[in-house]
């Protein structure tokens, strides 16, 4: 079975699992409402999330050390058996949910922990794969809630079997689908860490500390937990108002879930791991607007259900990139524990926010649902401000990418296209034939670039502010000869921080048909001499020469037609450090890098010309 078919099986078991869980939760909500005078929602929520919190170390250890397929199959079989036994015993359904939640708490970390391997083996971007999973999950919440509500209605289907029988048939079918689909979930690149029980439990807490010590992983985790808490607490704050105006919890849940499914689908369209994070500021701003719209509507005495769909859509737009980035940031051998930590953090923050709103309402500080919504809107505005500051670069890249979409079709070629490391120091070396070369590379390289730019362009008024405070570009003083080159030290410092530095060693844009590659300068050699173990990716950009912003047949933009759908192909060599014996000599290093860039042309089916004479290199020393 191909990797993409196995990925489809993972999606199917994910959707079936959530459909069954939410169908059962709605049955318990309605049953609990009748038993506890309106407390059905709290009963179902408490029963379901308790195992995620109380058994987090165990859930993480199982998903971290055992084969993911075994975890998914065993947990699905466990829930299938639980439903069958409680149905035969005649319930109660709330107790069945408590047992099913145990299986779900083990199943969930395993489903998410395998996603990076699934994306890698299927040759698909992780944000896209995660978007499909989240879209299916959100749609399953909507479908499960609607199905649970329908099953609980008397007389549906007409003259049909009693509630226990109806619920039994549906839950058994869904859990059976989840079990059968899990049998096919296996990905060779998945990384496990088998450990003895005592060592595995200690490993969970060590991995939790690893997440906490990583500023990237911790920031993503906190952002994800805050988002889920806001979206969960938001509908809860308006349930009473909506119920009194002829609405209700179910309608709010369905609207939020449907919006979330649409938002996740929209987010999956952006597969770039770094650029997808640019969706977060826009989605966070949309959350603020949705909450303000709801406040305005209720203030006018109407029930504004549309904002809840908008709330769901924007939450999906934020959720997908944050979750995908967190998955990528967690070490490969700690993904099971990392996903369990993620689930626990989400529920802890959700409970804390819900408890704070409830407590303030009890003491009279927040006496109405409108006041609670106002607090949520203020928190969302704070989060949006933080997101805009921290993610300003990818947020700016998104509209720029859309603006150039009709003009260029950028494609990756070569063995290195899928081997670029997602983090750690990396030096990107390329030919330079058009002004848009950095943008084209940025579209294909799956991480943030730190380009080096000539002061001729860097120093332009508006561009200088953008390059310095948004893009983090390294300024290169233009000129033929200088005794000092601080930009080289700045590039080396960026590499030490784990950045991906882009350098065009030719030193300027291509001007003529021949040569197709000018002699490289010494900059790359000076950088690599300080950091000799830095992986280098050589590139060749084909299609830039002759474009609207190249020098072919005259200066850029002068007497040239616009580019419409122009094909730009970029070939990537495999990342590898420059050999030590080559780095020992600056001239040999320059020739080595030039040859590496020219060799990339083979991956495009182009002729590889001979290198310029060594006399040219010596003349440039």
């Amino acid at each position: 079975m191909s990797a993409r078919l196995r990925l489809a099986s993972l999606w199917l078991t994910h959707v079936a699992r959530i459909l069954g869980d939410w169908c059962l939760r709605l049955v318990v909500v309605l049953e609990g409402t009748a038993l506890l005078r309106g407390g059905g929602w709290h009963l179902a929520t408490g029963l379901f999330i308790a195992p995620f919190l109380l058994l987090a170390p165990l859930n993480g250890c199982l998903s971290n050390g055992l084969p993911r397929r075994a975890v998914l199959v065993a947990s699905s079989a466990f829930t299938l058996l639980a439903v069958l036994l409680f149905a035969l015993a005649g319930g109660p359904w709330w107790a069945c949910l408590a047992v099913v939640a145990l299986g779900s708490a083990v199943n969930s970390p395993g489903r998410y922990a395998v996603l990076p391997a699934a994306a890698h083996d299927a040759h698909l971007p992780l944000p896209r794969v995660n978007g499909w999973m989240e879209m299916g999950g959100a749609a399953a919440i909507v479908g499960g809630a609607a199905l649970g509500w329908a099953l609980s209605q008397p007389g549906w289907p007409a003259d049909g079997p009693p509630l226990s029988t109806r619920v039994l048939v549906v839950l058994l079918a869904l859990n059976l689908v989840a079990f059968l689909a899990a049998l096919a979930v296996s990905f060779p690149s998945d990384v496990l860490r088998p450990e003895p029980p005592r060592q595995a439990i200690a490993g969970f807490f060590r991995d939790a500390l690893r997440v906490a010590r990583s500023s990237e992983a911790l920031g993503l985790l906190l952002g994800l937990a805050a988002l889920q808490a806001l979206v969960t607490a938001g509908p809860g704050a308006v349930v009473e108002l909506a119920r009194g105006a002829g609405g209700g919890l179910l309608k709010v849940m369905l609207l939020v879930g449907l919006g979330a499914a649409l938002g996740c689908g929209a987010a999956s369209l952006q597969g770039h791991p770094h650029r997808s994070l640019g969706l977060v500021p826009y989605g966070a701003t949309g959350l603020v607007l949705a909450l303000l719209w709801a406040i305005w509507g209720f203030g006018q005495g109407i029930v504004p259900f549309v904002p809840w769909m908008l709330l769901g859509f924007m939450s999906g737009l934020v959720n997908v990139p944050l979750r995908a980035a967190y998955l990528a940031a967690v070490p490969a051998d700690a993904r099971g524990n990392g996903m369990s930590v993620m689930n626990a953090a989400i529920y802890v923050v959700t409970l804390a926010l819900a408890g704070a709103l409830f407590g303030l309402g009890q003491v009279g500080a927040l006496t109405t649902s409108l006041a609670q919504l106002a607090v949520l809107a203020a928190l969302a505005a704070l989060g949006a401000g933080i997101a805009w500051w921290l993610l300003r670069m990818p947020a700016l890249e998104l509209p720029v990418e859309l603006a150039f979409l009709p003009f260029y079709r950028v494609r990756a070629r070569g063995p290195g296209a899928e081997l670029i490391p997602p983090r750690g120091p990396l030096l990107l070396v390329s030919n330079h034939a058009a002004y848009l070369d950095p943008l084209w590379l940025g579209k294909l390289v799956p991480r943030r670039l730190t380009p080096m730019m000539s002061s001729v362009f860097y120093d332009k008024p508006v561009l200088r502010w953008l390059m310095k405070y948004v893009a983090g570009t390294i300024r290169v003083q233009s000129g033929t000869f200088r005794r000092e080159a601080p930009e080289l030290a700045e590039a080396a410092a960026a590499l030490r921080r784990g950045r991906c530095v882009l350098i065009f060693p030719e030193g300027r844009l291509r001007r003529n048909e021949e040569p197709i590659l000018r002699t490289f300068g010494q900059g790359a050699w000076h950088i690599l001499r300080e950091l000799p173990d830095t992986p280098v990716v050589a590139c060749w950009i084909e299609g830039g020469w002759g474009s609207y912003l190249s020098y072919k047949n005259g200066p850029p933009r002068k007497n040239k037609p616009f580019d419409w759908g122009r094909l730009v192909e970029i070939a990537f060599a495999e990342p590898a450090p420059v050999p030590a014996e080559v780095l020992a000599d600056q001239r040999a290093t320059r020739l080595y890098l030039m040859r590496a860039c020219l060799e990339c042309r083979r991956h495009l089916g182009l002729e590889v010309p001979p290198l310029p004479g060594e006399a040219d290199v010596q003349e440039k020393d």
Side-chain angles (χ1 to χ4, degrees):
M1 182 183 292
S2 70
R4 296 198 176 188
L5 285 177
R6 294 196 298 272
L7 176 59
S9 295
L10 175 62
W11 185 88
L12 183 58
T13 191
H14 173 75
V15 171
R17 171 80 274 125
I18 295 176
L19 266 171
D21 288 348
W22 275 88
C23 176
L24 182 57
R25 286 178 73 169
L26 252 292
V27 170
V28 173
V29 166
L30 298 175
E31 181 182 86
T33 299
L35 293 174
L36 303 177
R37 299 180 181 179
W41 174 255
H42 302 295
L43 172 66
T45 301
L47 288 173
F48 191 77
I49 70 174
F52 286 85
L53 290 173
L54 301 178
L55 302 178
L58 176 62
N59 302 334
C61 293
L62 292 174
S63 294
N64 213 64
L66 298 178
R68 317 281 192 215
R69 177 167 59 183
V71 172
L72 298 181
V73 169
S75 57
S76 298
F78 175 82
T79 55
L80 179 63
L81 181 61
V83 169
L84 179 61
L85 292 178
F86 273 92
L88 294 175
W93 289 118
W94 64 264
C96 179
L97 178 63
V99 177
V100 165
L102 292 171
S104 295
V106 173
N107 191 281
S108 176
R111 294 199 309 266
Y112 283 105
V114 79
L115 281 184
H120 178 272
D121 292 355
H123 304 288
L124 293 168
L126 179 56
R128 185 159 296 158
V129 170
N130 183 66
W132 295 337
M133 294 289 288
E134 293 298 292
M135 179 174 61
I141 290 175
V142 175
L147 186 59
W149 179 84
L151 289 173
S152 299
Q153 302 308 301
W156 188 91
D159 300 323
L163 171 65
S164 59
T165 304
R166 298 197 301 267
V167 174
L168 169 65
V169 171
V170 171
L171 292 182
L172 283 179
L174 291 174
N175 280 279
L176 183 60
V177 170
F179 170 77
L180 294 175
L183 293 172
V185 178
S186 177
F187 299 95
S189 65
D190 198 16
V191 177
L192 302 176
R193 195 179 70 200
E195 296 171 310
R198 182 176 298 179
Q199 186 177 344
I201 293 294
F204 170 84
F205 293 101
R206 283 197 303 271
D207 288 340
L209 286 175
R210 291 169 74 184
V211 170
R213 289 169 179 165
S214 168
S215 58
E216 179 186 7
L218 181 60
L220 292 165
L221 179 62
L222 293 177
L224 189 60
L227 166 72
Q228 296 293 338
L230 183 72
V231 174
T232 303
V238 80
V239 167
E240 295 303 323
L241 285 171
R243 181 183 294 152
L249 174 62
L250 179 62
K251 186 178 290 186
V252 171
M253 286 176 56
L254 294 179
L255 288 170
V256 172
L258 178 59
L262 295 174
C264 291
S268 71
L269 298 176
Q270 178 53 262
H272 195 284
H274 166 67
R275 200 161 293 164
S276 66
L277 286 171
L279 295 170
V280 174
Y282 295 104
T285 303
L287 288 174
V288 178
L289 296 177
L291 290 168
L292 292 177
W293 187 355
I295 292 171
W296 174 84
F298 281 117
Q300 299 298 313
I302 59 177
V303 182
F305 286 114
V306 174
W308 299 115
M309 180 176 284
L310 180 62
L311 181 76
F313 181 88
M314 294 302 174
S315 70
L317 211 61
V318 176
N319 177 52
V320 168
L322 285 180
R323 197 178 291 257
Y326 177 74
L327 278 166
V330 172
D333 68 335
R335 284 179 182 144
N337 286 329
M339 296 310 104
S340 186
V341 169
M342 177 189 72
N343 287 334
I346 288 173
Y347 286 125
V348 166
V349 176
T350 299
L351 288 175
L353 180 57
L357 292 175
F358 177 79
L360 290 172
Q362 294 300 303
V363 299
L366 297 177
T367 56
T368 67
S369 293
L370 284 178
Q372 294 183 17
L373 286 179
V375 171
L376 293 175
L379 293 175
L382 176 62
I386 295 173
W388 276 108
W389 175 250
L390 295 178
L391 301 173
R392 58 193 182 277
M393 181 58 185
L396 177 65
E397 289 177 344
L398 285 178
V400 172
E401 180 182 11
L402 288 174
F404 284 98
L405 202 58
F407 307 110
Y408 302 102
R409 295 174 293 128
V410 188
R411 302 289 183 266
R413 299 287 185 266
E418 295 186 355
L419 298 177
I420 295 176
R423 52 188 42 83
L426 184 70
L427 185 65
L428 215 60
V429 178
S430 177
N431 65 314
H432 196 17
Y435 283 137
L436 293 181
D437 287 338
L439 273 68
W440 295 331
L441 282 165
K443 182 175 176 62
L444 297 181
V445 176
R447 53 187 297 180
R448 178 177 177 175
L449 297 182
T450 301
M452 304 182 73
M453 176 183 280
S454 170
S455 60
V456 173
F457 303 100
Y458 188 101
D459 290 341
K460 294 184 182 298
V462 177
L463 199 58
R464 180 182 179 88
W465 185 88
L466 288 173
M467 293 301 103
K468 183 175 183 179
Y469 296 105
V470 179
T473 303
I474 298 173
R475 179 182 181 274
V476 180
Q477 178 62 48
S478 62
T480 56
F481 176 77
R482 289 177 292 133
R483 293 186 179 277
E484 296 182 356
E487 67 272 9
L488 300 180
E490 192 175 345
L495 290 172
R496 289 191 182 94
R497 295 195 300 272
R499 299 290 183 85
C500 177
V501 174
L502 169 62
I503 183 172
F504 298 108
E506 293 174 274
R508 70 170 189 175
L509 210 60
R510 179 179 173 184
R511 295 294 199 276
N512 305 302
E513 286 288 344
E514 296 295 339
I516 62 173
L517 188 69
R518 294 180 70 245
T519 304
F520 283 5
Q522 300 183 31
W525 174 72
H526 281 289
I527 295 170
L528 292 172
R529 186 178 57 173
E530 290 193 39
L531 301 165
D533 295 328
T534 301
V536 177
V537 174
C539 311
W540 184 269
I541 304 173
E542 185 66 24
W545 181 246
S547 67
Y548 180 69
L549 292 175
S550 74
Y551 272 94
K552 184 175 183 178
N553 298 325
R557 300 176 297 170
K558 299 294 181 63
N559 302 319
K560 296 180 181 181
F562 280 110
D563 298 317
W564 295 101
R566 185 180 184 88
L567 177 63
V568 176
E569 295 183 297
I570 304 179
F572 295 89
E574 295 185 26
V578 175
E581 61 273 17
V582 175
L583 270 180
D585 181 72
Q586 59 88 7
R587 185 167 59 89
T589 301
R590 292 154 66 189
L591 290 172
Y592 176 91
L593 294 175
M594 291 175 67
R595 188 177 295 110
C597 288
L598 288 171
E599 284 292 329
C600 287
R601 290 170 55 89
R602 296 190 190 277
H603 305 306
L604 302 174
L606 301 174
E607 179 186 358
V608 179
L611 284 172
E614 293 189 5
D616 294 337
V617 179
Q618 294 173 343
E619 184 178 312
K620 201 170 182 178
D621 288 348

